[in-house]
Amino acid sequence: MNCFSVKNLNLHYGEMHALIDIHFDMKYREITALIGPSGCGKSTFLRTLNRMNDLVEGCRVEGSVRLFDEDIYTMPDVSMLRKRVGMVFQKPNPFPMSVFDNVAYGPRTHGVRSRQELEMIVEKSLRDAAIWDEVKDRLKKPAMSLSGGQQQRLCIARALAVSPEVLLLDEPTSALDPLSTAKIEELLRELRSKYSVVIVTHNMQQAAHISDKTAFFLLGELVEQGDTKELFENPRDERTAEYISVKVSAPQAACAAPVDIPARLAG
């Protein structure tokens, strides 16, 4: 079963053609990794999946994006779409309120008023985000008092609190230390059994280790997609092979010098 079916997707920012003829099916309860150089359209594509691009002036979308056979661009209630398709951003963005109120915010917005029900939702969401044991005695404390890695898992819990079907993550570990990154990666592998996950990442090891499917974007085009193992070990397109070989040959933790991406792969 596909959670998303994307056909003939084109996206323009004014005169800029940012996404070009994208065709892409994503399976239910799998992790799909989106890879490619900066500026290639990965995050733009991710934002089309819950209509975040609607907020960008001059943005025009053509084609079809279907969530379980329902065209999301004909849905009258965008807030309901974003309940079904949650999003976690690159930098942790907890609200300036308590840990409890951060997680309870979405359910309250959607009409949950019972304190008992909210407590159950908050605990379940924090458990699902693998952070309950760390914050169960700090629920009334400001969310901003948590570490960066804890804040990101709190943001994941906040997204899970409204029972989404799909979780979108835009480079969720790029600002985190290796230990926090490992915790997020382990969490995502666990969430796969309950949710569809789509993640943008520049970390090739991360894509290879946690995803079921991988898609390579370049200059607004979806160059290649397929099973992660197959795409990394036997890419069909030479541009995919070149990008992966450049990125893998430069360890993700090495920061001594920038990696030279061939000019034709620059985005």
Side-chain angles (χ1 to χ4, degrees):
M1 179 194 304
N2 293 329
C3 64
F4 275 110
S5 293
V6 179
K7 308 294 182 189
N8 302 112
L9 177 65
N10 287 271
L11 184 142
H12 301 260
Y13 293 127
E15 297 299 315
M16 178 185 174
H17 198 171
L19 293 175
I20 305 167
D21 296 326
I22 306 295
H23 295 260
F24 196 7
D25 290 334
M26 283 165 276
K27 296 293 185 183
Y28 183 48
R29 291 184 178 174
E30 285 190 343
I31 298 179
T32 300
L34 310 182
I35 65 172
S38 297
C40 68
K42 305 182 301 297
S43 294
T44 296
F45 175 74
L46 193 74
R47 290 194 296 268
T48 65
L49 301 179
N50 71 345
R51 293 181 55 176
M52 290 293 290
N53 287 311
D54 288 10
L55 305 174
V56 180
E57 186 176 353
C59 179
R60 186 173 80 257
V61 178
E62 302 164 351
S64 171
V65 181
R66 304 188 73 86
L67 173 65
F68 297 111
D69 291 330
E70 187 175 359
D71 191 329
I72 70 171
Y73 282 90
T74 63
M75 290 181 180
D77 188 350
V78 178
S79 66
M80 185 56 64
L81 168 66
R82 293 176 185 153
K83 177 179 183 294
R84 297 174 64 188
V85 184
M87 190 158 189
V88 177
F89 297 93
Q90 181 175 5
K91 293 183 179 180
N93 60 340
F95 300 147
M97 53 183 67
S98 71
V99 170
F100 183 95
D101 288 338
N102 262 267
V103 183
Y105 184 88
R108 283 173 172 152
T109 299
H110 289 281
V112 178
R113 294 291 179 264
S114 164
R115 180 71 183 187
Q116 183 178 8
E117 186 176 356
L118 285 171
E119 289 176 351
M120 290 174 59
I121 291 171
V122 168
E123 179 174 346
K124 181 180 185 303
S125 301
L126 291 170
R127 286 187 183 278
D128 285 351
I131 192 175
W132 170 253
D133 288 339
E134 298 169 47
V135 301
K136 62 184 179 183
D137 298 322
R138 304 169 62 184
L139 296 179
K140 295 182 180 180
K141 299 291 186 181
M144 301 300 291
S145 68
L146 302 178
S147 70
Q150 289 173 327
Q151 287 183 20
Q152 192 66 300
R153 281 181 286 147
L154 176 65
C155 291
I156 293 174
R158 190 174 66 198
L160 298 180
V162 293
S163 301
E165 297 159 74
V166 184
L167 190 62
L168 311 178
L169 302 106
D170 193 356
E171 297 188 62
T173 62
S174 64
L176 303 182
D177 61 83
L179 181 59
S180 296
T181 294
K183 288 183 178 180
I184 297 288
E185 291 176 355
E186 181 181 359
L187 168 60
L188 295 181
R189 283 190 287 263
E190 294 173 358
L191 293 177
R192 175 201 283 127
S193 65
K194 300 179 182 178
Y195 309 93
S196 301
V197 177
V198 187
I199 179 172
V200 169
T201 181
H202 283 284
N203 186 320
M204 296 299 97
Q205 284 84 355
Q206 183 174 81
H209 291 161
I210 71 170
S211 69
D212 302 288
K213 299 290 194 305
T214 297
F216 173 57
F217 283 76
L218 181 65
L219 299 176
E221 296 183 26
L222 176 53
V223 173
E224 184 171 348
Q225 59 178 292
D227 290 342
T228 295
K229 181 178 175 64
E230 180 68 16
L231 186 139
F232 273 85
E233 295 183 358
N234 188 31
R236 298 186 302 273
D237 192 291
E238 66 175 26
R239 293 169 294 176
T240 311
E242 189 169 4
Y243 179 77
I244 290 173
S245 66
V246 168
K247 294 290 284 184
V248 171
S249 64
Q252 297 294 326
C255 302
V259 178
D260 248 353
I261 300 291
R264 66 192 191 84
L265 293 182

